[in-house]
Amino acid sequence: AQRVTQPEKLLSVFKGAPVELKCNYSYSGSPELFWYVQYSRQRLQLLLRHISRESIKGFTADLNKGETSFHLKKPFAQEEDSAMYYCALMWGGTSYGKLTFGQGTILTVHP
Amino acid sequence: EAEVAQSPRYKITEKSQAVAFWCDPISGHATLYWYRQILGQGPELLVQFQDESVVDDSQLPKDRFSAERLKGVDSTLKIQPAELGDSAMYLCASRSRSSKNIQYFGAGTRLSVL
């Protein structure tokens, strides 16, 4: 069965420091991975997906199939990055794809 | 920008009562999902629709939960009877056939069962 693990429930850094939110997955098929973010009082929204290989708001994430990881990184954290971050795995094929989420990491960036 | 609409935002009910949640997906989105999110955990899929058909309800507790999407547009999730353990956030999401597997989420309905 597919599983997503985010080992850190809470992560605190100071503004300007690098940040890395860890995500590991287990899935027997070809994975498609996402990071979703939920800012205070806002709805869950997509941050980035591994297929697009984009940098969004300074965040990047690389899929490492050997380590089954999809860690989210940003070299210089900003206070506005404080939010809940969820790593998610899509499975079930393109037509009927569904998401399995990790338990989330609360990121707090201190001034 | 189009958004997924959900109502009500909050619902308080007593144990053994019936509750219903409504979701209106982004126009044209064929796939609709209902998730349950217990405090401190990530969302968990309850049911998935493709147009008006259920394609996955394997995680839906069918003895008390039901979901429908009669015309393939908006959807209703019902719980009858509600139990204390049903207290959670219920999220609806939708996806279009061309949205590159991106799901768009509603703001959710926060259910408290007393």
Side-chain angles (χ1 to χ4, degrees), chain A residues 6-24:
Chain A
Q6 292 179 249
E8 303 136 330
K9 194 71 176 173
L10 302 169
L11 186 61
S12 289
V13 299
F14 286 99
K15 177 182 173 182
V19 63
E20 181 180 51
L21 287 81
K22 292 184 167 49
C23 172
N24 289 92

PDB file of all heavy atoms in Angstrom, chain A residues 6-24:
ATOM      1  N   GLN A   6       5.937  12.189   6.867  1.00  0.00           N
ATOM      2  CA  GLN A   6       6.613  13.456   7.145  1.00  0.00           C
ATOM      3  C   GLN A   6       7.056  13.361   8.598  1.00  0.00           C
ATOM      4  O   GLN A   6       6.247  13.463   9.502  1.00  0.00           O
ATOM      5  CB  GLN A   6       5.652  14.624   6.930  1.00  0.00           C
ATOM      6  CG  GLN A   6       5.264  14.815   5.475  1.00  0.00           C
ATOM      7  CD  GLN A   6       4.302  15.971   5.291  1.00  0.00           C
ATOM      8  OE1 GLN A   6       3.133  15.782   4.966  1.00  0.00           O
ATOM      9  NE2 GLN A   6       4.796  17.174   5.476  1.00  0.00           N
ATOM     10  N   PRO A   7       8.345  13.145   8.823  1.00  0.00           N
ATOM     11  CA  PRO A   7       8.800  12.814  10.173  1.00  0.00           C
ATOM     12  C   PRO A   7       8.726  13.960  11.172  1.00  0.00           C
ATOM     13  O   PRO A   7       8.679  13.725  12.373  1.00  0.00           O
ATOM     14  CB  PRO A   7      10.249  12.372   9.953  1.00  0.00           C
ATOM     15  CG  PRO A   7      10.650  13.019   8.677  1.00  0.00           C
ATOM     16  CD  PRO A   7       9.420  13.088   7.840  1.00  0.00           C
ATOM     17  N   GLU A   8       8.717  15.207  10.665  1.00  0.00           N
ATOM     18  CA  GLU A   8       8.698  16.354  11.576  1.00  0.00           C
ATOM     19  C   GLU A   8       7.303  16.937  11.645  1.00  0.00           C
ATOM     20  O   GLU A   8       6.750  17.368  10.639  1.00  0.00           O
ATOM     21  CB  GLU A   8       9.681  17.429  11.103  1.00  0.00           C
ATOM     22  CG  GLU A   8      11.098  16.928  10.959  1.00  0.00           C
ATOM     23  CD  GLU A   8      11.750  17.423   9.675  1.00  0.00           C
ATOM     24  OE1 GLU A   8      11.046  17.646   8.667  1.00  0.00           O
ATOM     25  OE2 GLU A   8      12.972  17.557   9.680  1.00  0.00           O
ATOM     26  N   LYS A   9       6.758  16.957  12.864  1.00  0.00           N
ATOM     27  CA  LYS A   9       5.455  17.580  13.044  1.00  0.00           C
ATOM     28  C   LYS A   9       5.599  19.100  13.074  1.00  0.00           C
ATOM     29  O   LYS A   9       4.761  19.833  12.569  1.00  0.00           O
ATOM     30  CB  LYS A   9       4.839  17.102  14.350  1.00  0.00           C
ATOM     31  CG  LYS A   9       3.370  17.391  14.513  1.00  0.00           C
ATOM     32  CD  LYS A   9       2.534  16.524  13.603  1.00  0.00           C
ATOM     33  CE  LYS A   9       1.060  16.749  13.838  1.00  0.00           C
ATOM     34  NZ  LYS A   9       0.233  16.037  12.862  1.00  0.00           N
ATOM     35  N   LEU A  10       6.688  19.561  13.694  1.00  0.00           N
ATOM     36  CA  LEU A  10       6.949  20.986  13.856  1.00  0.00           C
ATOM     37  C   LEU A  10       8.368  21.293  13.400  1.00  0.00           C
ATOM     38  O   LEU A  10       9.289  20.498  13.658  1.00  0.00           O
ATOM     39  CB  LEU A  10       6.799  21.404  15.322  1.00  0.00           C
ATOM     40  CG  LEU A  10       5.464  21.145  16.005  1.00  0.00           C
ATOM     41  CD1 LEU A  10       5.595  21.360  17.510  1.00  0.00           C
ATOM     42  CD2 LEU A  10       4.401  22.078  15.437  1.00  0.00           C
ATOM     43  N   LEU A  11       8.529  22.436  12.737  1.00  0.00           N
ATOM     44  CA  LEU A  11       9.851  22.871  12.321  1.00  0.00           C
ATOM     45  C   LEU A  11       9.927  24.379  12.504  1.00  0.00           C
ATOM     46  O   LEU A  11       9.074  25.107  11.994  1.00  0.00           O
ATOM     47  CB  LEU A  11      10.095  22.496  10.865  1.00  0.00           C
ATOM     48  CG  LEU A  11      11.487  22.746  10.294  1.00  0.00           C
ATOM     49  CD1 LEU A  11      12.527  21.949  11.041  1.00  0.00           C
ATOM     50  CD2 LEU A  11      11.516  22.392   8.811  1.00  0.00           C
ATOM     51  N   SER A  12      10.932  24.828  13.244  1.00  0.00           N
ATOM     52  CA  SER A  12      11.107  26.260  13.480  1.00  0.00           C
ATOM     53  C   SER A  12      12.465  26.695  12.972  1.00  0.00           C
ATOM     54  O   SER A  12      13.474  26.040  13.247  1.00  0.00           O
ATOM     55  CB  SER A  12      11.014  26.573  14.976  1.00  0.00           C
ATOM     56  OG  SER A  12       9.710  26.433  15.449  1.00  0.00           O
ATOM     57  N   VAL A  13      12.473  27.798  12.239  1.00  0.00           N
ATOM     58  CA  VAL A  13      13.730  28.375  11.767  1.00  0.00           C
ATOM     59  C   VAL A  13      13.630  29.894  11.910  1.00  0.00           C
ATOM     60  O   VAL A  13      12.538  30.441  12.099  1.00  0.00           O
ATOM     61  CB  VAL A  13      14.018  28.008  10.293  1.00  0.00           C
ATOM     62  CG1 VAL A  13      14.127  26.495  10.125  1.00  0.00           C
ATOM     63  CG2 VAL A  13      12.962  28.586   9.365  1.00  0.00           C
ATOM     64  N   PHE A  14      14.785  30.553  11.787  1.00  0.00           N
ATOM     65  CA  PHE A  14      14.789  32.008  11.776  1.00  0.00           C
ATOM     66  C   PHE A  14      14.789  32.502  10.333  1.00  0.00           C
ATOM     67  O   PHE A  14      15.287  31.833   9.417  1.00  0.00           O
ATOM     68  CB  PHE A  14      15.992  32.556  12.531  1.00  0.00           C
ATOM     69  CG  PHE A  14      15.854  32.427  14.023  1.00  0.00           C
ATOM     70  CD1 PHE A  14      16.463  31.389  14.705  1.00  0.00           C
ATOM     71  CD2 PHE A  14      15.095  33.345  14.735  1.00  0.00           C
ATOM     72  CE1 PHE A  14      16.325  31.274  16.090  1.00  0.00           C
ATOM     73  CE2 PHE A  14      14.942  33.234  16.104  1.00  0.00           C
ATOM     74  CZ  PHE A  14      15.561  32.183  16.781  1.00  0.00           C
ATOM     75  N   LYS A  15      14.260  33.682  10.155  1.00  0.00           N
ATOM     76  CA  LYS A  15      14.218  34.327   8.843  1.00  0.00           C
ATOM     77  C   LYS A  15      15.618  34.354   8.251  1.00  0.00           C
ATOM     78  O   LYS A  15      16.591  34.696   8.930  1.00  0.00           O
ATOM     79  CB  LYS A  15      13.685  35.747   9.008  1.00  0.00           C
ATOM     80  CG  LYS A  15      13.661  36.562   7.737  1.00  0.00           C
ATOM     81  CD  LYS A  15      13.167  37.973   8.046  1.00  0.00           C
ATOM     82  CE  LYS A  15      13.294  38.878   6.837  1.00  0.00           C
ATOM     83  NZ  LYS A  15      12.847  40.262   7.153  1.00  0.00           N
ATOM     84  N   GLY A  16      15.713  33.975   6.988  1.00  0.00           N
ATOM     85  CA  GLY A  16      16.980  33.980   6.296  1.00  0.00           C
ATOM     86  C   GLY A  16      17.738  32.661   6.380  1.00  0.00           C
ATOM     87  O   GLY A  16      18.713  32.456   5.650  1.00  0.00           O
ATOM     88  N   ALA A  17      17.301  31.780   7.253  1.00  0.00           N
ATOM     89  CA  ALA A  17      17.959  30.477   7.387  1.00  0.00           C
ATOM     90  C   ALA A  17      17.412  29.517   6.333  1.00  0.00           C
ATOM     91  O   ALA A  17      16.289  29.668   5.858  1.00  0.00           O
ATOM     92  CB  ALA A  17      17.720  29.910   8.773  1.00  0.00           C
ATOM     93  N   PRO A  18      18.216  28.506   5.986  1.00  0.00           N
ATOM     94  CA  PRO A  18      17.698  27.498   5.053  1.00  0.00           C
ATOM     95  C   PRO A  18      16.673  26.599   5.749  1.00  0.00           C
ATOM     96  O   PRO A  18      16.720  26.397   6.953  1.00  0.00           O
ATOM     97  CB  PRO A  18      18.949  26.700   4.665  1.00  0.00           C
ATOM     98  CG  PRO A  18      19.856  26.871   5.833  1.00  0.00           C
ATOM     99  CD  PRO A  18      19.598  28.236   6.386  1.00  0.00           C
ATOM    100  N   VAL A  19      15.754  26.082   4.965  1.00  0.00           N
ATOM    101  CA  VAL A  19      14.748  25.188   5.537  1.00  0.00           C
ATOM    102  C   VAL A  19      14.588  23.973   4.638  1.00  0.00           C
ATOM    103  O   VAL A  19      14.667  24.069   3.405  1.00  0.00           O
ATOM    104  CB  VAL A  19      13.400  25.923   5.721  1.00  0.00           C
ATOM    105  CG1 VAL A  19      12.824  26.388   4.402  1.00  0.00           C
ATOM    106  CG2 VAL A  19      12.401  25.055   6.468  1.00  0.00           C
ATOM    107  N   GLU A  20      14.387  22.821   5.280  1.00  0.00           N
ATOM    108  CA  GLU A  20      14.135  21.578   4.549  1.00  0.00           C
ATOM    109  C   GLU A  20      13.035  20.811   5.258  1.00  0.00           C
ATOM    110  O   GLU A  20      13.164  20.474   6.439  1.00  0.00           O
ATOM    111  CB  GLU A  20      15.391  20.714   4.454  1.00  0.00           C
ATOM    112  CG  GLU A  20      15.153  19.414   3.673  1.00  0.00           C
ATOM    113  CD  GLU A  20      16.400  18.559   3.572  1.00  0.00           C
ATOM    114  OE1 GLU A  20      17.038  18.294   4.615  1.00  0.00           O
ATOM    115  OE2 GLU A  20      16.730  18.148   2.444  1.00  0.00           O
ATOM    116  N   LEU A  21      11.962  20.560   4.559  1.00  0.00           N
ATOM    117  CA  LEU A  21      10.866  19.768   5.107  1.00  0.00           C
ATOM    118  C   LEU A  21      10.955  18.379   4.460  1.00  0.00           C
ATOM    119  O   LEU A  21      10.932  18.246   3.240  1.00  0.00           O
ATOM    120  CB  LEU A  21       9.519  20.400   4.784  1.00  0.00           C
ATOM    121  CG  LEU A  21       9.147  21.671   5.534  1.00  0.00           C
ATOM    122  CD1 LEU A  21       9.798  22.895   4.905  1.00  0.00           C
ATOM    123  CD2 LEU A  21       7.648  21.855   5.590  1.00  0.00           C
ATOM    124  N   LYS A  22      11.040  17.380   5.305  1.00  0.00           N
ATOM    125  CA  LYS A  22      11.283  16.031   4.811  1.00  0.00           C
ATOM    126  C   LYS A  22       9.991  15.290   4.457  1.00  0.00           C
ATOM    127  O   LYS A  22       8.956  15.440   5.110  1.00  0.00           O
ATOM    128  CB  LYS A  22      12.069  15.228   5.837  1.00  0.00           C
ATOM    129  CG  LYS A  22      13.503  15.721   6.028  1.00  0.00           C
ATOM    130  CD  LYS A  22      14.268  14.846   6.965  1.00  0.00           C
ATOM    131  CE  LYS A  22      15.759  15.114   6.924  1.00  0.00           C
ATOM    132  NZ  LYS A  22      16.111  16.525   7.039  1.00  0.00           N
ATOM    133  N   CYS A  23      10.094  14.491   3.407  1.00  0.00           N
ATOM    134  CA  CYS A  23       8.983  13.664   2.960  1.00  0.00           C
ATOM    135  C   CYS A  23       9.546  12.365   2.396  1.00  0.00           C
ATOM    136  O   CYS A  23      10.416  12.399   1.519  1.00  0.00           O
ATOM    137  CB  CYS A  23       8.167  14.373   1.893  1.00  0.00           C
ATOM    138  SG  CYS A  23       6.905  13.329   1.110  1.00  0.00           S
ATOM    139  N   ASN A  24       9.080  11.247   2.879  1.00  0.00           N
ATOM    140  CA  ASN A  24       9.422   9.944   2.335  1.00  0.00           C
ATOM    141  C   ASN A  24       8.139   9.222   1.945  1.00  0.00           C
ATOM    142  O   ASN A  24       7.104   9.405   2.566  1.00  0.00           O
ATOM    143  CB  ASN A  24      10.212   9.117   3.353  1.00  0.00           C
ATOM    144  CG  ASN A  24      11.594   9.660   3.551  1.00  0.00           C
ATOM    145  OD1 ASN A  24      11.830  10.482   4.432  1.00  0.00           O
ATOM    146  ND2 ASN A  24      12.518   9.225   2.715  1.00  0.00           N
TER     147      ASN A  24
END
